[in-house]
Amino acid sequence: MFGFNFDKRTIYIIIAVMIGIALLQFATNPEELMRLLLSAPGVLIAITFHEFAHGYVAYKLGDNTAKNEGRLSLNPLDHLDPIGTLMLLVAGFGWGKPVHVNPRNYTRKMSMEKGEALVSLAGPLMNFILAIIFTFIYYAIYKFVEMSVISMSFISSTVGKTIINLIIYTISINIGLGVFNLIPLPPLDGSKIIMPFLPYNAKQFFVNNEQIFYIVFILIWVTGMASTIITPVIKLVSEAILNFGAFIFRI
């Protein structure tokens, strides 16, 4: 997903400072440290399936690049970017190791532009699907608890609470990663998803000024504006998915 075309040293220094501050907070706050540990499985799931989805859709469109590079895998080690993973853990948003694709190999049933849009959409869409699946698991557990007095002791136990929290964090992280990647700025997936819908002049402006959009992205990210922009969207998506799950399970 992430692929900068300019010197990365500045952004890596900024990221290192952000991670350092966050880790210091974790070291002095046991509750934040526990949150970090509970969110780790959700981060692994979210990034792994997100990047796998990119490669799988590209493969189905006729491009074997991801397959040849061993990226059609659900092994987290094949998809994790160390810095991006840390950012997702400590800041709530991040990225995985980019999946390489070659749009020239896509089926001629659609334009390369539309093919790129589908491949880009696959990652966030997979995150939303995972959020729905884990929401169903969450409500299924509580539905089972309603039907069994014995299981109530499990849900109130330390193990039961830990499992529920793991599920909640997995839902939250997948929604956050999905929404974050839909921001229509390079290098995020949203920048390619909107491309087929832009008029010709807008596309040319977008392509010719890509570096400027990278800088804009970094600015809104470092200043916290990205969080301000996407938090209301994350809240809406979360409510929609949770309400959908509650409706399905009649809770």
Side-chain angles (χ1 to χ4, degrees):
M1 177 285 280
F2 234 74
F4 289 102
N5 296 321
F6 53 89
D7 192 335
K8 299 178 182 180
R9 286 176 294 182
T10 301
I11 187 62
Y12 280 171
I13 291 172
I14 294 172
I15 290 172
V17 171
M18 293 174 68
I19 291 175
I21 294 172
L23 291 178
L24 182 62
Q25 292 176 339
F26 291 136
T28 57
N29 190 331
E31 290 184 2
E32 283 298 304
L33 180 60
M34 181 58 67
R35 184 194 68 78
L36 177 69
L37 295 175
L38 289 173
S39 63
V43 168
L44 294 179
I45 291 170
I47 290 179
T48 299
F49 279 84
H50 179 104
E51 299 301 337
F52 168 80
H54 285 316
Y56 180 76
V57 172
Y59 173 71
K60 297 301 288 185
L61 289 178
D63 178 34
N64 291 328
T65 304
K67 180 181 179 183
N68 294 338
E69 293 183 352
R71 299 302 299 278
L72 295 188
S73 162
L74 292 177
N75 181 351
L77 296 179
D78 293 331
H79 302 289
L80 298 183
D81 177 277
I83 294 178
T85 302
L86 274 173
M87 285 302 297
L88 192 55
L89 280 167
V90 303
F93 52 84
W95 57 90
K97 187 191 304 179
V99 171
H100 298 131
V101 298
N102 186 351
R104 294 184 181 87
N105 294 331
Y106 293 162
T107 176
R108 292 298 181 260
K109 294 180 181 179
M110 66 178 68
S111 67
M112 287 193 298
E113 194 176 70
K114 290 182 179 178
E116 281 194 284
L118 281 178
V119 171
S120 298
L121 178 62
L125 183 59
M126 174 61 80
N127 291 128
F128 295 138
I129 291 172
L130 286 170
I132 292 171
I133 291 172
F134 278 93
T135 295
F136 285 176
I137 294 173
Y138 173 81
Y139 281 121
I141 291 174
Y142 275 96
K143 195 70 174 179
F144 179 73
V145 167
E146 286 182 358
M147 299 168 59
S148 172
V149 177
I150 297 177
S151 62
M152 183 63 73
S153 59
F154 169 76
I155 209 72
S156 60
S157 67
T158 301
V159 174
K161 290 178 180 177
T162 300
I163 291 174
I164 292 298
N165 283 326
L166 286 171
I167 294 171
I168 291 173
Y169 277 115
T170 301
I171 295 169
S172 175
I173 289 167
N174 272 284
I175 293 174
L177 186 62
V179 171
F180 177 67
N181 273 280
L182 290 178
I183 296 176
L185 287 174
L188 302 176
D189 297 323
S191 62
K192 291 186 176 68
I193 294 172
I194 66 167
M195 199 62 70
F197 304 100
L198 296 177
Y200 177 78
N201 289 339
K203 290 177 185 178
Q204 290 302 110
F205 177 81
F206 209 91
V207 172
N208 294 335
N209 296 279
E210 187 175 31
Q211 294 296 323
I212 295 177
F213 286 110
Y214 272 83
I215 294 171
V216 171
F217 167 75
I218 292 172
L219 286 174
I220 69 169
W221 178 32
V222 172
T223 60
M225 288 176 61
S227 178
T228 303
I229 294 169
I230 68 173
T231 296
V233 181
I234 289 174
K235 183 178 179 180
L236 285 174
V237 174
S238 299
E239 289 177 353
I241 290 177
L242 290 172
N243 288 338
F244 178 60
F247 172 77
I248 294 295
F249 286 87
R250 301 293 191 271
I251 292 178

